[in-house]
């Protein structure tokens, strides 16, 4: 309901901002294995009703194999102003400029696929209000960028470049009201324009190929209701329900309902929920049809992909030191778009369904003020089809944070991922030459830091050393593309 098209999984990024009067500055730098270099500068300030925050970061590495270098640059700025006691507005801008090389499969560098360069710019203007029984936002956004894949090699032996330009913009309106005690009504509407074009520059056997800009429009209103029954000091229940409606310029309308229930008593809480995610075909279906498949228009018959997600779980806390959660879940995917090449012409069809059933559990424990642990495990006991990619039977992580000798801090984490398949998810039956199995792996990482304070300069800082893959595990997350062995880094952070 909240996040709309493509909401199979969502990461909600809350940007940094200066909330207290005054100024803050931090600089960091580090250097490590394979000429890896990182640096970052951030600065924020708040004067009266106006606040701002700016950030710049740079990362580069030569890579652990020939032709595996990469670089990331990011620039961020946010300016906000409190208009009065209830209304505020802000402007957020973010830009990135990156590249990465493909070293090719191990032992076959001739199969490398050149260099991928990308840049992306995003701007969001937000008008917000906060009243006693209502709060809401109006957001206007614009996102543009370019992906430039250079020196790709065709099986026939010639090289080509593919340049993809995207241009997305729209508006998001949301209002939350509490018309009665412990009740909440949420409503909103999103208007999204999703556009892009592609140019393929070949040295043979044909001239440049360009697909003109295509733009899809999605209008999606939504509403939800929740109510707290009882009091959280004793027994309580929170039922909730909502639905989002999708109206697409080129495809059939869809709906995404959700419903949930939380029941709690004291430190124990039970929750159960259902939600449907909707993912419409992207502009790439038009691009592929025009570029490679003779301009066929079968893409107009496609349906949106959907995932029905069910989960139920239990959590328990003991004071502020201990929390345990266990949740069972099922995902049923329908109408997944799969590339079909026979009979001709090639096209996408909604023939891919999948099911995942599993359970996950997490524990956090802080027995001392200077010591804390965490652990989590996920077990998938059903995957259909059986070679479903990126769905290992078992995965687990654990770690600890320990402060000792007053100024020293040690952080360690462990990760285990079971055998799994990797594939081009758009290939028929997840099969053919694209599917491959990669072995299980176990990783150990650690970081040791020394914190210091220079009171005369009003500065705090940390000097650290860190290591990844400390057991020198040989592993891969893509077949024939081995990850690096043990690596190290040292760095410093200063805060003013």
């Amino acid at each position: 309901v909240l996040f709309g098209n493509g909401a199979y999984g969502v990461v909600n990024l809350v940007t940094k901002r200066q909330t207290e009067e005054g100024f803050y500055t931090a600089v960091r730098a580090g250097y490590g294995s394979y000429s890896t270099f990182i640096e970052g500068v951030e600065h924020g300030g708040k004067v009266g009703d106006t606040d701002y925050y700016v950030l710049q970061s740079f990362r580069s590495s030569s890579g652990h194999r020939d032709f595996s270098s990469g670089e990331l640059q990011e620039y961020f700025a946010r300016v906000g102003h409190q208009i009065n006691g209830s209304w505020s507005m802000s402007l957020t801008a973010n830009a990135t400029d990156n590249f990465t090389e493909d070293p090719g499969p191990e032992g076959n560098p001739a199969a490398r696929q050149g260099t991928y360069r990308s840049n992306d710019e995003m701007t969001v203007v937000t008008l917000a209000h906060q009243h006693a029984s209502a709060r809401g936002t109006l957001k206007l956004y614009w996102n543009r960028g370019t992906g430039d894949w250079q020196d790709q090699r065709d099986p026939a032996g010639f090289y080509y470049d593919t340049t993809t330009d995207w241009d997305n913009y729209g508006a998001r309106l949301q209002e939350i009201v509490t018309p009665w005690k412990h009740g909440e009504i949420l409503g909103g509407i999103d208007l999204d324009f999703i556009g892009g074009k592609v140019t393929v520059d070949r040295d043979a056997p044909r001239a440049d190929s360009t697909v003109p800009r295509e733009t899809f429009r999605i209008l999606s209103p939504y509403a939800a209701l929740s109510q707290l029954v009882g009091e959280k000091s004793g027994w309580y229940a929170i039922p909730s329900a909502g639905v989002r409606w999708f109206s697409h310029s080129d495809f059939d309308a869809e709906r995404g309902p959700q419903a949930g229930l939380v029941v709690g008593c004291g430190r124990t809480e039970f929750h159960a929920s259902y939600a449907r995610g909707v993912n419409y075909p992207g502009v790439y279906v038009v691009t592929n049809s025009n570029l490679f498949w003779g301009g066929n228009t079968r893409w107009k018959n496609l349906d949106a992909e959907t995932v029905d997600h069910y989960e139920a779980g239990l959590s328990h806390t003991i004071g502020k030191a201990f929390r345990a959660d266990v949740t069972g879940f099922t995902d049923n995917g329908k109408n997944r778009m799969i590339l079909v090449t026979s009979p001709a012409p090639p096209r996408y069809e909604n023939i891919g369904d999948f099911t995942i059933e599993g359970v996950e559990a997490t524990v956090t424990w802080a027995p001392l003020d200077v010591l804390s642990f965490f652990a989590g495990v996920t077990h998938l006991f059903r995957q259909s089809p059986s070679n479903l990619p990126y769905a290992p039977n078992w995965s687990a992580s654990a770690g600890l944070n320990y402060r000792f000798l007053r100024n020293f801090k040690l952080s360690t984490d462990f990760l285990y991922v079971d055998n799994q398949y990797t594939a081009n998810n758009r290939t028929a039956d997840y099969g053919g030459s694209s599917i491959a199995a990669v072995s299980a792996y176990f990783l150990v990482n650690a970081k040791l830091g020394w914190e210091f304070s220079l009171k005369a300069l009003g500065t705090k800082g940390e000097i650290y050393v860190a290591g990844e893959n400390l057991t020198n595990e040989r592993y891969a997350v893509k077949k024939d593309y081995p990850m690096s062995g043990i690596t190290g880094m040292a760095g410093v952070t200063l805060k003013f």
Side-chain angles (χ1 to χ4, degrees), residues 126-444:
T126 302
L127 177 65
H129 76 91
Q130 176 82 48
H131 291 85
S133 60
R135 64 187 187 275
T137 57
L138 170 63
K139 296 185 178 182
L140 307 177
Y141 75 90
W142 177 43
N143 167 228
R144 66 151 303 277
T146 299
D148 189 7
W149 196 349
Q150 303 172 344
D151 298 324
Q152 295 171 266
R153 186 177 187 273
D154 189 273
F158 60 84
Y159 290 87
Y160 62 100
D161 299 338
T162 303
T163 302
T164 304
D165 294 298
W166 60 87
D167 197 13
N168 309 318
Y169 53 93
R172 307 287 176 91
L173 177 65
Q174 182 181 101
E175 189 73 15
I176 302 173
V177 297
T178 53
W180 55 79
K181 185 178 180 180
H182 299 325
E184 183 176 276
I185 300 175
L186 177 149
I189 187 169
D190 297 348
L191 176 61
D192 300 303
F193 293 89
I194 305 167
K197 67 176 182 178
V198 174
T199 300
V200 179
D201 183 3
R202 301 172 181 264
D203 60 8
R206 67 185 190 184
D208 294 359
S209 300
T210 300
V211 177
R213 184 174 303 280
E214 178 79 28
T215 301
F216 290 159
R217 186 267 303 148
I218 304 176
L219 180 68
S220 51
Y222 60 93
L225 169 68
S226 67
Q227 175 70 49
L228 170 63
V229 180
E231 299 291 340
K232 288 198 172 182
S233 57
W235 280 95
Y236 63 91
I238 308 174
S240 62
V243 65
R244 177 185 283 262
W245 181 261
F246 299 86
S247 174
H248 197 288
S249 59
D250 291 74
F251 302 103
D252 292 341
E254 294 283 347
R255 60 184 175 84
Q258 74 174 53
L261 175 65
V262 175
V263 177
C265 179
R267 297 171 178 174
T268 302
E269 192 172 80
F270 167 81
H271 67 88
S273 63
Y274 160 77
R276 173 179 293 169
V278 175
N279 182 43
Y280 276 104
V283 177
Y284 63 86
V285 299
V286 184
T287 300
N288 287 343
S289 296
N290 289 336
L291 270 178
F292 308 117
W293 306 332
N296 77 71
T297 58
R298 295 191 182 187
W299 62 268
K300 294 184 179 180
N301 298 322
L302 290 170
D303 294 320
E305 301 173 322
T306 62
V307 169
D308 290 301
H309 176 81
Y310 306 83
E311 70 171 60
L314 197 66
S315 65
H316 182 72
T317 60
I318 301 176
K320 297 181 179 180
F322 180 87
R323 179 182 175 91
D325 297 86
V326 60
T327 299
F329 58 88
T330 298
D331 287 321
N332 294 322
K334 303 290 185 183
N335 296 328
R336 184 162 179 78
M337 290 178 292
I338 300 297
L339 175 60
V340 178
T341 58
S342 179
R347 71 277 183 195
Y348 286 109
E349 291 189 3
N350 294 112
I351 61 173
D353 295 343
F354 68 90
T355 299
I356 299 175
E357 296 179 357
V359 61
E360 64 180 13
T362 60
V363 174
T364 58
W365 181 39
L368 303 171
D369 290 340
V370 296
L371 179 64
S372 62
F373 300 91
F374 74 89
V377 61
T378 300
H379 175 47
L380 303 182
F381 45 81
R382 183 188 176 197
Q383 306 108 307
S384 178
S386 59
N387 59 353
L388 191 68
Y390 310 108
N393 285 340
W394 289 93
S395 58
S397 63
L400 66 87
N401 294 294
Y402 177 49
R403 185 179 296 275
F404 61 100
L405 297 179
R406 192 171 183 177
N407 291 335
F408 286 89
K409 182 172 64 175
L410 174 66
S411 301
T412 63
D413 62 85
F414 311 87
L415 174 66
Y416 172 78
V417 178
D418 206 353
N419 302 326
Q420 64 177 321
Y421 291 97
T422 63
N424 178 349
N425 288 355
R426 297 301 183 188
T427 302
D429 299 325
Y430 306 108
S433 60
S434 69
I435 195 164
V438 295
S439 300
Y441 57 88
F442 176 72
L443 302 179
V444 179

